[in-house]
């Protein structure tokens, strides 16, 4: 029976991103997906700023072609101006999920990661050495042994169920219909048009004569039967709510869903882990779920790769649940709150007015923007006072290297390894000495700040930073000055001891 370090179940954006992160970290990985080919359905149209940064720090944004960035933000349909903020929180708009999957699939092909389609996982059997995965495929059933399995298989995850991981559920109360059409030109309503009785219609132009139409109506089934929706039903609902006819449109796909939500109580149980919608399901909302899932992948990939390679500290893999479960709790809470603002009936109008007045103030807009963009996340990584500690390292900040060339922090993270930056001669020597024996997992770079990082919410250089340790996912684990632990302690905490024991391995 073949042995693989990690099997990732699900070839959506989250599973593909995770597989790439694992491969960069040196793990042997394969992706399983039950579908024989990509579905081509673009349920998410873009992603938030932090997800874009994660893709950018792996050099993947260029694979997506020309991107459209959103200059306005909204929380639950209440708009606010991102331009008042010190830092750019804009996300990518109108990018089809199919295009994102295609780009990530090309990356995996370059990395030599196999995507095995037509394999539906039917069983998991954990052993002391790993997990035996049972599956069906057109050629008959099969089994494969892996060190770990990660379920990236969406809402209602099969992996989650097979592993016996319980989830907190929020039952659906209303439904929605979605279709991608061409051949007609309905009036655009990209942020949604609210109608009496808590109803709403959305029409998003996708380019090349294509449109995404969405119908929100409390009268629609909260628990639609999978695969039963027809385009005629979508067109009837659209005409009933808008007076417009889209009956003659060519329909590429339709989708019906409810507004249920779920949060797995464990993101890791033994050798089985969860990411994306399998870990935290929310109703469709501005690609929040996709964006959070890509961040799960960035957080988990290097930690799991370090574990199978044998250099991870004992509890490194446990930090995935510790860090991302809290984010999942906040995601579900924020999505439910935004959904009530977005789709509530006329009784919510006073609340919308108050929220709108609050979001006209910079501090409130900054808080809301941090939720929507993902830039507000701060992990508890170390004790210290530096404003960047636990936050993501601003990817656009530049260093001038000893040879005079300039480089961005994001470009230095493309290897998928940790990054230790030192900006004075003394700290450079100390950094090189402390990182010795870890050159397979930490890159040491010396230079001077061309654009010096300031606070997590500002580009003003008001916080000294002589040296900084950045995890592979882009988050700051140690600073000089500003962190209580010394550098060696931080390196041990996140990147293991300087010498790998001979007994370590897979």
């Amino acid at each position: 029976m073949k042995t693989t370090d990690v099997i990732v179940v699900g070839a959506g954006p989250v599973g593909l991103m995770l597989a790439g992160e694992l491969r960069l970290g040196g793990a042997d990985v394969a992706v399983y997906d039950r579908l024989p080919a990509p579905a081509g359905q673009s349920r998410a149209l873009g992603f938030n700023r932090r997800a874009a940064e994660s893709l950018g720090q792996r050099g993947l944004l260029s694979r997506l072609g020309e991107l459209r960035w959103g200059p306005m933000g909204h929380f639950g349909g209440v708009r606010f101006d991102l331009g008042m903020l010190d830092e750019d929180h804009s996300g990518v708009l109108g990018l089809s999920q199919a295009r994102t999957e295609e780009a990530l699939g090309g990356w995996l092909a370059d990395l030599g990661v196999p995507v095995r389609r037509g394999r539906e996982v039917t069983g998991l059997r954990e052993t002391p050495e790993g997990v035996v995965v049972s599956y069906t495929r057109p050629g008959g059933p099969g089994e494969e042994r892996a060190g770990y399995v990660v379920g990236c298989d969406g809402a209602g995850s099969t992996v989650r169920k097979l592993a016996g991981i319980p989830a907190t559920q929020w039952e659906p109360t209303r439904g929605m219909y979605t279709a991608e059409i061409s051949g007609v030109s309905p009036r655009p309503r990209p942020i949604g048009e609210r109608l009496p009785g808590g109803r709403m219609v959305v029409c998003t132009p996708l380019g090349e004569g294509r449109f995404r139409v969405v119908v929100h109506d409390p009268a629609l089934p909260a628990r639609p039967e999978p695969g039963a929706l027809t385009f005629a039903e979508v067109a009837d609902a659209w005409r009933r709510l808008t007076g417009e006819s889209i009956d003659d449109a060519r329909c590429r796909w339709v989708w019906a869903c409810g507004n249920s939500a779920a949060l797995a109580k464990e993101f890791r149980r033994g050798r089985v882990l969860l990411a994306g919608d399998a870990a935290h399901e929310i109703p469709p909302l501005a690609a929040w779920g996709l964006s959070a899932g890509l961040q799960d992948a960035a957080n988990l990939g290097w930690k799991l790769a370090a574990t199978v390679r044998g250099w991870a500290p004992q509890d490194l893999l446990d930090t995935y649940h510790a860090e991302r479960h809290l984010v999942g709790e906040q995601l579900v809470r924020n999505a439910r709150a935004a959904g009530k603002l977005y789709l509530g009936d006329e009784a919510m109008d006073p609340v919308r007015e108050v929220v709108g007045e609050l979001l006209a103030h910079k501090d409130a807009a900054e808080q809301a923007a941090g939720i929507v963009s993902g830039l507000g996340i701060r992990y508890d990584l170390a004790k210290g006072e530096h404003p960047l500690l636990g936050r993501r390292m601003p990817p656009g900040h530049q260093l001038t290297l000893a040879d005079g060339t300039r480089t961005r922090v994001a470009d230095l993270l493309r290897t998928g390894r940790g990054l230790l930056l030192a900006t004075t001669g003394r700290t450079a020597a100390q950094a090189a000495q402390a990182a010795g024996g870890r050159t397979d997992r930490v890159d040491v770079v010396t230079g001077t700040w061309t654009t010096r990082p300031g606070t997590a919410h500002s580009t003003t250089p008001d916080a000294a930073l002589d040296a900084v340790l950045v995890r592979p996912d882009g988050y700051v684990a140690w600073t000089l000055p500003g962190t209580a632990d010394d550098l060696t302690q931080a390196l041990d905490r996140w990147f293991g001891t300087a010498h790998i024991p001979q007994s370590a391995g897979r």
Side-chain angles (χ1 to χ4, degrees):
M1 186 183 300
K2 184 179 179 181
T3 300
T4 302
D5 287 336
V6 184
I7 291 175
V8 175
V9 182
V14 177
L16 297 175
M17 181 74 177
L18 176 60
E21 292 289 302
L22 286 162
R23 190 69 195 97
L24 279 185
D28 180 24
V29 57
V31 180
Y32 285 11
D33 197 90
R34 64 181 180 81
L35 297 178
Q41 296 185 4
S42 298
R43 297 178 181 180
L45 291 177
F47 35 77
N48 68 15
R49 187 75 190 187
R50 184 58 194 144
E53 290 179 352
S54 294
L55 293 167
Q57 71 191 22
R58 298 297 185 253
L60 298 174
L61 287 182
S62 60
R63 293 175 179 259
L64 296 169
E66 185 176 353
L67 300 175
R68 180 164 62 92
W69 300 87
M72 292 295 295
H74 77 88
F75 185 87
V78 180
R79 304 189 74 167
F80 57 94
D81 184 7
L82 295 177
M84 77 173 82
L85 307 179
D86 295 324
E87 190 169 14
D88 189 355
H89 287 70
S90 59
V92 172
L93 303 179
L95 179 73
S96 73
Q97 181 175 324
R99 191 164 140 205
T100 302
E101 290 179 6
E102 182 181 6
L104 290 170
W107 182 45
L108 292 196
D110 291 346
L111 293 173
V113 176
V115 179
R116 296 168 181 156
R117 298 193 177 274
R119 291 196 179 189
E120 183 171 2
V121 173
T122 57
L124 299 176
R125 187 173 73 255
E126 190 163 345
T127 70
E129 297 78 25
V131 184
V132 178
V133 180
S134 303
Y135 57 86
T136 60
R137 58 182 172 179
E143 285 189 343
E144 185 169 357
R145 188 185 304 275
Y148 293 84
V149 172
V150 187
C152 301
D153 49 343
S157 164
T158 297
V159 170
R160 189 178 75 203
K161 294 174 182 175
L162 290 172
I165 298 176
T168 302
Q169 303 278 346
W170 288 266
E171 295 301 319
T173 58
R174 56 185 295 158
M176 60 177 278
Y177 290 166
T178 302
E180 186 174 317
I181 61 174
S182 60
V184 297
S185 298
R187 176 167 61 85
R189 304 164 176 89
I191 199 173
E193 182 177 287
R194 193 169 286 112
L195 302 170
R199 298 175 296 171
M200 177 181 283
V201 290
V202 183
C203 177
T204 306
L206 303 178
E208 300 177 345
R210 296 180 295 116
F211 295 85
R212 163 80 63 81
V213 295
V214 183
V215 175
H216 295 277
D217 188 342
L220 299 182
R223 294 181 179 276
E225 183 180 342
L229 181 65
T230 66
F231 176 64
E233 292 175 285
V234 179
D236 287 346
W238 186 265
R239 185 173 55 255
R240 173 169 52 83
L241 268 61
T242 69
E244 295 178 346
S245 173
I246 58 173
D247 298 72
D248 295 331
R250 294 185 294 276
C251 179
R252 300 186 64 175
W253 55 270
V254 296
W255 177 45
C257 73
N259 65 337
S260 61
L263 178 66
K265 294 185 177 181
E266 302 166 68
F267 285 9
R268 178 195 178 192
R269 175 171 286 188
R271 292 178 174 269
V272 179
L273 300 103
L274 304 174
D277 289 351
H280 41 70
E281 173 194 352
I282 62 171
L285 180 70
W288 284 12
L290 170 61
S291 299
L294 292 174
Q295 287 303 291
D296 291 341
N299 187 289
L300 174 60
W302 68 277
K303 296 174 181 178
L304 185 50
T307 300
V308 300
R309 288 186 61 197
W311 61 255
Q314 184 175 1
D315 63 346
L316 180 64
L317 196 53
D318 291 332
T319 67
Y320 170 63
H321 172 89
E323 292 173 4
R324 294 305 295 175
H325 193 269
L326 179 58
V327 172
E329 290 177 349
Q330 296 168 342
L331 174 69
V332 172
R333 180 204 65 183
N334 294 338
R336 295 179 69 218
K340 289 183 180 296
L341 273 177
Y342 192 54
L343 297 174
D345 61 16
E346 294 79 359
M348 288 295 294
D349 285 345
V351 180
R352 295 185 185 104
E353 291 177 10
V354 172
V355 172
E357 291 173 2
L358 291 173
L359 293 181
H361 297 275
K362 182 178 178 180
D363 287 349
E366 190 116 51
Q367 177 70 16
I371 290 172
V372 174
S373 68
L375 300 191
I377 293 173
R378 185 171 194 169
Y379 298 131
D380 184 13
L381 302 188
K383 294 180 180 179
E385 302 300 328
H386 197 283
L388 280 176
L389 190 60
R391 295 189 183 274
R392 110 292 190 213
M393 185 72 179
H397 287 296
Q398 292 185 347
L399 285 165
T400 300
L401 305 181
D403 62 2
T405 61
R406 292 184 178 184
T407 184
R408 299 184 316 136
V409 171
D411 296 331
L412 295 172
L413 288 167
R414 291 193 179 185
T415 62
R417 294 194 290 269
L419 180 61
L420 179 55
L421 302 176
T423 60
T424 69
R426 181 180 177 186
T427 57
Q430 292 172 335
Q433 181 178 5
R438 299 183 182 89
T439 55
D440 60 331
R441 64 202 88 148
V442 179
D443 294 329
V444 181
V445 177
T446 61
T448 58
W449 289 117
T450 307
T451 306
R452 193 173 75 185
T455 69
H457 300 293
S458 172
T459 56
T460 56
D462 56 3
L465 195 65
D466 296 330
V468 57
L469 177 64
V470 186
R471 303 191 318 185
D473 58 354
Y475 284 83
V476 174
W478 175 88
T479 63
L480 179 69
T483 306
D485 293 341
D486 65 27
L487 177 56
T488 299
Q489 288 175 305
L491 286 164
D492 288 345
R493 171 75 181 88
W494 298 107
F495 298 100
T497 57
H499 300 287
I500 302 173
Q502 292 297 317
S503 59
R506 300 171 185 166

